[in-house]
Amino acid sequence: MSGQEAHEARLLPWSTPEGKPCYLDSDGSGYISRVADTIESVQLGLAGDLLDHADDLLAEDEIPPDQLRLVMAQLTEALRNVHRIAQSRGARLPLDPDGYP
């Protein structure tokens, strides 16, 4: 393979306006890769903050239905982002000779 390792295209942390996934085919050192790294970091931080907020809500005796619905929608979006990040990073793990990361 002319001295280069094969690599998977990177699943980016954003979608097209139609909701389709975006991919980047590069060595991971360019501008778009750095932007994607920054966005992933922000998304993970927001997910952590949201989990803390959900814990606080769950500690309350009663939660208004509209507030519960909003937090559920936010948690769903955060989980979707974290899942995409996990897929992207997992696909980029090097495999050992037996095919395991």
Side-chain angles (χ1 to χ4, degrees):
M1 214 184 195
S2 71
Q4 295 180 347
E5 288 187 32
H7 66 276
E8 292 277 331
R10 177 181 180 169
L11 176 63
L12 295 171
W14 56 80
S15 301
T16 67
E18 297 80 28
K20 295 182 180 180
C22 293
Y23 293 91
L24 176 65
D25 189 11
S26 79
D27 65 1
S29 64
Y31 175 75
I32 299 298
S33 291
R34 290 191 303 275
V35 169
D37 291 342
T38 300
I39 290 174
E40 286 179 354
S41 180
V42 168
Q43 288 174 330
L44 292 172
L46 290 172
D49 293 345
L50 186 56
L51 285 172
D52 292 341
H53 179 62
D55 284 338
D56 292 343
L57 275 179
L58 291 173
E60 295 181 13
D61 290 332
E62 290 187 30
I63 306 169
D66 58 334
Q67 194 170 11
L68 185 58
R69 180 179 293 282
L70 174 62
V71 170
M72 288 287 295
Q74 292 171 333
L75 284 170
T76 300
E77 181 180 354
L79 183 56
R80 189 172 288 113
N81 290 338
V82 170
H83 183 254
R84 179 185 293 265
I85 292 166
Q87 286 179 307
S88 177
R89 293 182 180 184
R92 290 180 279 139
L93 288 174
L95 298 178
D96 71 12
D98 295 324
Y100 296 102

